[in-house]
Amino acid sequence: LFRSVLGQERRNGFIVEEHGAGFATRSVETAVEKVLELAKDAGLRSRMAQNAKRLAKPNATQDILRIVRDEC
């Protein structure tokens, strides 16, 4: 994540980074370093992809809508 917005997006960035599914950075220089690191390291890309899959919530929108509908 690059220059995330304060609030939920920033917290999501911390979670993604904490679980090894991505990097959060606020500078162009660091973003470039991370992209180059990923380009050079297939193992890192693979681990991050696996970690991202573990964090994924593909039905989150539908789940939230169902909760709201059922509560109203």
Side-chain angles (χ1 to χ4, degrees), residues 25-71:
T25 178
R26 296 185 53 82
S27 75
V28 173
E29 294 81 11
T30 304
V32 169
E33 288 172 12
K34 295 300 183 182
V35 168
L36 292 174
E37 183 179 343
L38 284 169
K40 294 176 184 177
D41 191 338
L44 177 60
R45 289 192 307 274
S46 178
R47 288 188 304 279
M48 289 179 80
Q50 290 170 357
N51 294 338
K53 286 179 184 177
R54 280 193 283 277
L55 286 177
K57 305 278 189 229
N59 298 315
T61 301
Q62 290 82 6
D63 294 343
I64 291 167
L65 289 173
R66 190 175 309 106
I67 292 167
V68 170
R69 182 193 65 212
D70 293 347
E71 295 294 320

